[in-house]
Amino acid sequence: MELKGKTVVVTGSSRGIGEAIAEEFAKQGANIVLNARKAIPEEMLEKLQSYGVEVEAILGDVSDFNSAKHLIDQTKERFGSVDVLINNAGINRDKLVMRMDEEDFDVTYEVNLKGSFNTIRHALPLMLKQRAGSIINISSVVGETGNAGQANYAASKAGLIGLTKSVAREAAMRGVTCNAITPGFIETDMTAALSDKVQEAMLGQIPLKKFGKSKDIAETAVFLSKSEYITGQTIRVNGGMYM
Ligand code: NAI
């Protein structure tokens, strides 16, 4: 897909990987819809606009079905289409299973997995109708490997891979693609919150001996959205952490 003038929705894009994805698509000349639960920094809107594209911030919680509908409906109203949907919004509530509350599991599942279903449910009919579109779900390496202390998060991210493959199969006949990216350890606010000890241990598991950058994920998302022949795939961007 040629991205110039297309409309890209990036959920959870007030910072981190989502912000980098938005910028990478803006560089390609795509119009950007930012989303987060709380305000998006004004400087971020200005930075993206400096690429000569249109930028809209539509706040809302993706785990809420109607809020996800609002996000897609408003995008359609403003830009006329949804060409690329990036499900990036995600949270973690790390605890060992034996100490995990029901709420820790539910809220993680509701944002990471159900949130992606919610946006896909509303955007897919538009994409099928226009016979073009790309959906990219940001999963995680731990969805493939599992991780002690992240049963809720890993389960939600593994579920996202199943969602990706099923949507890919349902949408393929109309030329719509759906893929997942599984980042390894990427330097963001989410990972900065981990202790030095945990970060050190993670580094030991990465053959390339460095943490990834948000840009590594953003460039992969752009690549996937441009391809018309990659669908149902899980693309690992993890420094070799899992092969
Ligand atoms: P972050 O915590 O820095 O940013 C998350 C974004 O999602 C924020 O903009 C936040 O406002 C938004 N968000 C959270 N809940 C939301 C909701 N219910 N509705 C709308 N927006 C919501 O996280 P980071 O590190 O940038 O991660 C982005 C994605 O990449 C997440 O899905 C995360 O699970 C995934 N990931 C991150 C890795 C890392 O090493 N940083 C590794 C593997 C996956």
Side-chain angles (χ1 to χ4, degrees):
M1 185 195 299
E2 159 62 50
L3 291 171
K4 198 166 173 18
K6 293 290 193 317
T7 308
V8 181
V9 177
V10 189
T11 69
S13 44
S14 64
R15 63 184 199 190
I17 294 173
E19 179 181 1
I21 291 174
E23 184 170 3
E24 213 55 39
F25 276 92
K27 279 186 199 165
Q28 301 287 321
N31 297 320
I32 308 293
V33 175
L34 299 168
N35 153 266
R37 280 168 305 180
K38 295 178 210 136
I40 309 260
E42 192 58 39
E43 314 87 73
M44 204 179 139
L45 297 176
E46 285 165 13
K47 186 174 166 196
L48 295 176
Q49 280 159 348
S50 74
Y51 291 102
V53 300
E54 291 183 53
V55 184
E56 185 83 31
I58 303 175
L59 301 182
D61 180 344
V62 294
S63 69
D64 181 284
F65 192 71
N66 290 323
S67 180
K69 182 176 187 317
H70 176 77
L71 171 64
I72 301 302
D73 287 352
Q74 288 297 303
T75 303
K76 169 93 169 39
E77 197 164 309
R78 170 79 164 77
F79 294 107
S81 69
V82 178
D83 301 298
V84 180
L85 168 65
I86 318 269
N87 284 309
N88 167 78
I91 59 164
N92 60 323
R93 289 276 188 97
D94 300 352
K95 273 177 203 165
L96 295 173
V97 170
M98 54 187 291
R99 295 202 192 110
M100 192 176 288
D101 300 328
E102 186 181 7
E103 202 248 339
D104 294 323
F105 191 91
D106 288 350
V107 77
T108 308
Y109 150 83
E110 276 162 18
V111 176
N112 298 359
L113 180 54
K114 186 162 173 276
S116 300
F117 162 75
N118 288 345
T119 55
I120 291 171
R121 174 66 185 83
H122 299 297
L124 190 60
L126 306 178
M127 291 182 173
L128 294 177
K129 202 166 166 205
Q130 68 200 17
R131 292 184 172 269
S134 168
I135 299 169
I136 297 167
N137 298 319
I138 308 299
S139 174
S140 167
V141 64
V142 306
E144 300 176 290
T145 62
N147 196 23
Q150 290 197 305
N152 50 354
Y153 182 79
S156 70
K157 293 297 189 179
L160 204 43
I161 295 173
L163 178 70
T164 300
K165 292 179 182 178
S166 304
V167 171
R169 287 185 185 278
E170 290 185 19
M173 63 185 167
R174 296 281 184 103
V176 175
T177 63
C178 183
N179 292 289
I181 298 175
T182 49
F185 192 108
I186 308 297
E187 284 173 359
T188 65
D189 291 349
M190 187 184 258
T191 47
L194 301 172
S195 70
D196 288 352
K197 201 172 152 212
V198 172
Q199 293 200 24
E200 195 80 355
M202 304 285 292
L203 205 53
Q205 295 171 35
I206 305 170
L208 284 176
K209 292 286 167 241
K210 59 181 176 184
F211 299 136
K213 305 260 184 244
S214 294
K215 198 173 184 332
D216 296 317
I217 308 306
E219 288 171 349
T220 307
V222 166
F223 163 76
L224 283 173
S225 68
K226 284 183 171 176
S227 171
E228 290 177 8
Y229 206 60
I230 300 177
T231 198
Q233 304 304 312
T234 301
I235 307 298
R236 297 175 180 142
V237 186
N238 62 21
M241 201 175 160
Y242 177 68
M243 300 182 186

